[in-house]
Amino acid sequence: MVDVAKAAGVSLATVSAAVNGSAPVSAALKGRIHKAIRQVGYKTNAIARSLKTGTTSTIGLMVADITNPFFTTTIHAIQELAHRHGYGVMLCCSDEDADKERMHLRLLADRMVDGFIVASAGETPELRALVEGGRTPVVLIDRLVDGLETDAVVIDNVAATRDAVRHLAAAGHRRIGLITGRRTLSTGRERYEGYRQALEEAGIAFEPALVGSARFGADDGYKAAAKLLSLADRPTAIFACNNLSGIGLMRAIHDAGLRCPDDIAVACFDDFDWANVFHPRLTTVAQPTQAIGVQAMLLLLERLKDATARALPPRVVRLKAELRVRDSSVRPAR
Amino acid sequence: MVDVAKAAGVSLATVSAAVNGSAPVSAALKGRIHKAIRQVGYKTNAIARSLKTGTTSTIGLMVADITNPFFTTTIHAIQELAHRHGYGVMLCCSDEDADKERMHLRLLADRMVDGFIVASAGETPELRALVEGGRTPVVLIDRLVDGLETDAVVIDNVAATRDAVRHLAAAGHRRIGLITGRRTLSTGRERYEGYRQALEEAGIAFEPALVGSARFGADDGYKAAAKLLSLADRPTAIFACNNLSGIGLMRAIHDAGLRCPDDIAVACFDDFDWANVFHPRLTTVAQPTQAIGVQAMLLLLERLKDATARALPPRVVRLKAELRVRDSSVRPAR
DNA sequence: TTGTACGCGTTATCAC
DNA sequence: GTGATAACGCGTACAA
């Protein structure tokens, strides 16, 4: 920049003012300066600017599983919006591991990101300190964390699961199995609660044996499903609480020599492109993945751009998910 | 840091030396300093360090479509390795749009990332300048860019497509359709070439009418497929050059009232979790997505860590993809 | 080993 | 409208 100033025959301060529009500069000088910029091949150094201004125009995005199509669409929406507002996105993935999460949170804090969007894999001191410190805005997505008072965008998991299980019950199923996710996550707890509510509504007694738990991934889902399917009095319908356990469930059904939906009805959380293409076409709970990302980024942008908004009390946005009934949950007429 | 020095009763330089290990510091002092660090709540300011050292410990990762499971696994591998080596990852997504790509490339350059990994949506002056400038190492993934002499990790698309189409031909198909991607991409051209080679091998005449083009996404794939299927003398097998057009293809087959593989055999590029679960189980060309990410990051790390390695000539790593034959390409015995 | 002074590229605050 | 100058927080060379 000092080179530009020299080349244009003006002072450093004037160049800065011209580049940032922070002070009025005469048109003539502006022209000379911009010409000099091109001549010298000057590029603004964001690092130096950050050091001075204390802002990096970068946000930290922390998700639990980047491989999951659910997060993928959300990430995409966040990025789009962030870039439109001049923010870069530094992405980290905890792989559902709280220890990794705290490491990455530290990495992001060191890099002085201006704000965080996080789908937490579990409460950590780092996350709590971040929120309670109040220096950097944090928006939670997908999962709430107990006692963390900060902005968040989640869906109504209780209602979503209740709807899905109610749909199964309405189709005449009385033995409805559940494959839950981790109970340490708010999503896991809420979806479990939705299941129980739907059973109660339908006057079906809760049976612990019909609830399997898949903490991680498709393999866990497979095992949990296989166990349910090997029950003497096996369920006639199963709801899987995320798309990974849904994969495991479908594989287990296939391996057990059963057919879906003829022998067993299936519905699961999280819709994806292929769900509507293959057989059986899968009944899913579709989350508004895009809207989650957009909302989260909007909340964050408010806190970032507007100094007065930083003092606002935490806002929790709860979006609705949509049940998409397809073939897998509906027994064909005989 | 100056506060830490005060609290520990030592000089600034000693603190810096203790933190960075750049000079020997007595154990006693080290203890005192670390205690002071905790007391003051000192966090190293990466911005200031970057300004001084000229490195940011951050790499820029630019992909064409973050929603695509193919990229997703690769991104994951890159991140994992990057974090292990103390690098942050700034992610950008061009949405297959060259203009967006140049914007994001500029954003990343402004942020002074230490290196780039890029799946380019098309050649841009920015990308070329970056590579030719030689100041920041660039590793291309998935797609080569004509005339860009830099490190790259790609797969052998010609062989992969040839294998797949050869498999179709070996099953007795003589009218084999193709749904290509964008010809401006090296992947599109190479896969097309593999198709032609396989036909020639099998002594099948090339028919332009059997080649559909899907530039973007599943909808384009649907249209291209629908056109092929409506041909008077329609193909008995179709190969789709990516997973998005594969979705479109399967949907088109369904909507045309045809069954796969009974009426039409299908294979497509890119494997994914669900391919093996639903019916028809899809025959795919599985890319070594994880290995692509690992290799790319390793190449980049070499250039980053080792000053002498920066002068090395460009290295192109070509990995092999694997044909996974499942049900969709095999006509059941009657 | 330690202290000091300087520079990295900007921006902000003054004076002119 | 414009120019000089002091920070921002850290690394480092050099002198003690």
Side-chain angles (χ1 to χ4, degrees):
Chain A
M1 194 179 231
V2 58
D3 299 338
V4 175
K6 261 182 209 147
V10 297
S11 88
L12 194 58
T14 314
V15 177
S16 175
V19 169
N20 293 298
S22 49
V25 175
S26 71
L29 272 194
K30 245 184 205 164
R32 243 170 59 210
I33 289 172
H34 281 292
K35 194 173 146 197
I37 285 180
R38 268 190 301 280
Q39 237 170 35
V40 179
Y42 164 80
K43 298 222 159 214
T44 159
N45 181 332
I47 303 297
R49 171 180 294 165
S50 293
L51 182 57
K52 183 61 188 164
T53 63
T55 67
T56 52
S57 292
T58 299
I59 68 157
L61 175 52
M62 171 100 217
V63 299
D65 178 9
I66 196 203
T67 267
N68 190 325
F70 161 69
F71 282 119
T72 269
T73 318
T74 304
I75 293 172
H76 187 248
I78 289 173
Q79 282 227 92
E80 174 72 23
L81 205 50
H83 287 141
R84 226 206 300 278
H85 289 262
Y87 284 88
V89 175
M90 189 153 285
L91 181 65
C92 289
C93 176
S94 68
D95 290 325
E96 299 283 9
D97 178 341
D99 283 337
K100 267 193 199 174
E101 180 172 321
R102 51 200 302 185
M103 252 191 48
H104 293 158
L105 244 24
R106 270 202 293 263
L107 179 141
L108 292 173
D110 283 353
R111 299 272 193 302
M112 312 256 299
V113 296
D114 294 342
F116 289 83
I117 297 182
V118 358
S120 174
E123 195 202 315
T124 60
E126 275 77 5
L127 184 57
R128 182 167 295 279
L130 210 58
V131 170
E132 288 175 354
R135 305 185 53 79
T136 320
V138 177
V139 178
L140 262 24
I141 56 172
D142 190 43
R143 304 131 184 233
L144 259 18
V145 177
D146 273 351
L148 268 200
E149 304 260 313
T150 188
D151 289 350
V153 182
V154 295
I155 66 157
D156 188 342
N157 286 289
V158 177
T161 311
R162 200 195 318 119
D163 286 353
V165 176
R166 184 189 283 158
H167 157 71
L168 260 14
H173 293 284
R174 305 290 296 173
R175 299 187 59 74
I176 303 174
L178 180 76
I179 300 180
T180 71
R182 301 167 57 197
R183 287 292 176 80
T184 52
L185 266 27
S186 67
T187 47
R189 287 194 301 271
E190 290 175 15
R191 292 172 193 179
Y192 179 71
E193 171 62 20
Y195 168 75
R196 300 212 48 164
Q197 284 189 12
L199 289 192
E200 197 173 319
E201 255 183 38
I204 302 174
F206 172 73
E207 267 188 58
L210 292 186
V211 177
S213 166
R215 292 170 50 87
F216 303 106
D219 291 340
D220 254 26
Y222 180 90
K223 277 180 216 148
K227 202 165 151 195
L228 291 187
L229 294 175
S230 67
L231 250 35
D233 191 10
R234 67 169 143 80
T236 61
I238 298 183
F239 182 76
C241 278
N242 66 62
N243 51 8
L244 256 26
S245 56
I247 295 181
L249 169 58
M250 293 307 287
R251 205 178 287 151
I253 289 175
H254 179 263
D255 287 358
L258 298 169
R259 283 167 319 160
C260 168
D262 309 68
D263 301 318
I264 188 154
V266 164
C268 76
F269 233 94
D270 295 334
D271 199 36
F272 54 97
D273 280 351
W274 294 91
N276 197 18
V277 175
F278 288 95
H279 295 276
R281 290 165 59 244
L282 208 61
T283 293
T284 61
V285 174
Q287 298 197 53
T289 48
Q290 182 122 354
I292 292 172
V294 170
Q295 273 299 326
M297 194 62 212
L298 286 178
L299 289 181
L300 191 56
L301 280 171
E302 273 182 39
R303 304 255 181 200
L304 254 24
K305 300 251 172 179
D306 184 358
T308 70
R310 300 193 65 132
L312 250 43
R315 299 156 295 177
V316 175
V317 176
R318 223 173 245 281
L319 302 172
K320 276 203 284 204
E322 178 199 352
L323 179 65
R324 298 200 176 141
V325 176
R326 303 202 184 95
D327 307 333
S328 70
S329 60
V330 181
R331 209 174 324 196
R334 309 219 169 176
Chain B
M1 197 178 228
V2 59
D3 299 337
V4 175
K6 260 182 210 147
V10 297
S11 87
L12 197 58
T14 316
V15 178
S16 176
V19 170
N20 294 298
S22 48
V25 176
S26 72
L29 272 194
K30 246 184 204 164
R32 242 172 57 211
I33 289 172
H34 282 292
K35 194 175 148 200
I37 284 181
R38 269 190 299 280
Q39 235 170 35
V40 180
Y42 163 79
K43 298 222 161 214
T44 159
N45 181 331
I47 303 296
R49 172 181 292 164
S50 292
L51 183 58
K52 181 65 187 162
T53 61
T55 68
T56 52
S57 292
T58 300
I59 67 158
L61 175 52
M62 170 98 215
V63 299
D65 178 9
I66 196 202
T67 268
N68 190 325
F70 161 68
F71 282 120
T72 269
T73 319
T74 305
I75 293 172
H76 187 248
I78 289 172
Q79 283 226 87
E80 173 74 22
L81 204 50
H83 286 142
R84 226 206 300 277
H85 285 80
Y87 284 88
V89 175
M90 189 153 285
L91 181 64
C92 290
C93 177
S94 69
D95 290 326
E96 300 282 9
D97 177 342
D99 283 337
K100 266 194 198 171
E101 180 173 319
R102 52 200 301 186
M103 252 190 49
H104 293 159
L105 244 24
R106 270 202 294 263
L107 180 141
L108 291 172
D110 283 354
R111 298 274 194 300
M112 312 258 297
V113 296
D114 293 342
F116 290 83
I117 297 183
V118 179
S120 175
E123 195 202 316
T124 61
E126 275 76 6
L127 184 58
R128 182 168 294 279
L130 209 58
V131 170
E132 288 173 354
R135 305 185 54 77
T136 319
V138 177
V139 178
L140 262 25
I141 55 172
D142 190 44
R143 304 131 184 233
L144 258 19
V145 177
D146 272 351
L148 268 200
E149 305 258 315
T150 187
D151 289 351
V153 182
V154 294
I155 66 155
D156 189 341
N157 286 289
V158 177
T161 311
R162 199 195 318 118
D163 286 353
V165 176
R166 184 189 282 157
H167 157 71
L168 259 15
H173 294 283
R174 304 291 295 172
R175 299 187 58 72
I176 303 175
L178 180 75
I179 300 180
T180 71
R182 302 167 58 196
R183 285 294 175 76
T184 52
L185 265 28
S186 68
T187 46
R189 289 194 300 272
E190 290 175 16
R191 291 172 194 180
Y192 180 71
E193 171 63 19
Y195 168 74
R196 299 212 48 162
Q197 285 189 12
L199 290 192
E200 197 173 318
E201 256 183 39
I204 301 173
F206 171 73
E207 267 188 59
L210 292 185
V211 177
S213 167
R215 291 169 50 86
F216 302 107
D219 291 341
D220 254 27
Y222 180 91
K223 278 180 214 149
K227 202 164 150 196
L228 292 187
L229 295 174
S230 67
L231 251 35
D233 191 9
R234 69 169 142 80
T236 61
I238 298 183
F239 181 75
C241 279
N242 67 61
N243 51 8
L244 257 25
S245 57
I247 295 181
L249 170 58
M250 292 307 287
R251 205 178 288 152
I253 289 174
H254 179 263
D255 287 358
L258 297 171
R259 284 167 318 161
C260 168
D262 308 67
D263 300 318
I264 188 154
V266 164
C268 76
F269 233 94
D270 295 332
D271 200 35
F272 54 98
D273 280 349
W274 294 91
N276 198 19
V277 175
F278 288 94
H279 294 275
R281 290 164 59 242
L282 207 62
T283 293
T284 60
V285 175
Q287 298 197 52
T289 48
Q290 181 122 355
I292 292 173
V294 170
Q295 272 298 325
M297 193 63 212
L298 286 177
L299 289 181
L300 191 57
L301 280 171
E302 273 182 39
R303 305 257 182 199
L304 254 24
K305 301 251 172 177
D306 185 356
T308 68
R310 300 193 64 131
L312 250 42
R315 300 156 293 178
V316 174
V317 176
R318 224 173 244 281
L319 302 172
K320 276 203 284 202
E322 178 199 350
L323 179 65
R324 298 202 175 140
V325 176
R326 304 203 184 93
D327 307 333
S328 71
S329 61
V330 182
R331 209 174 325 196
R334 308 217 172 179

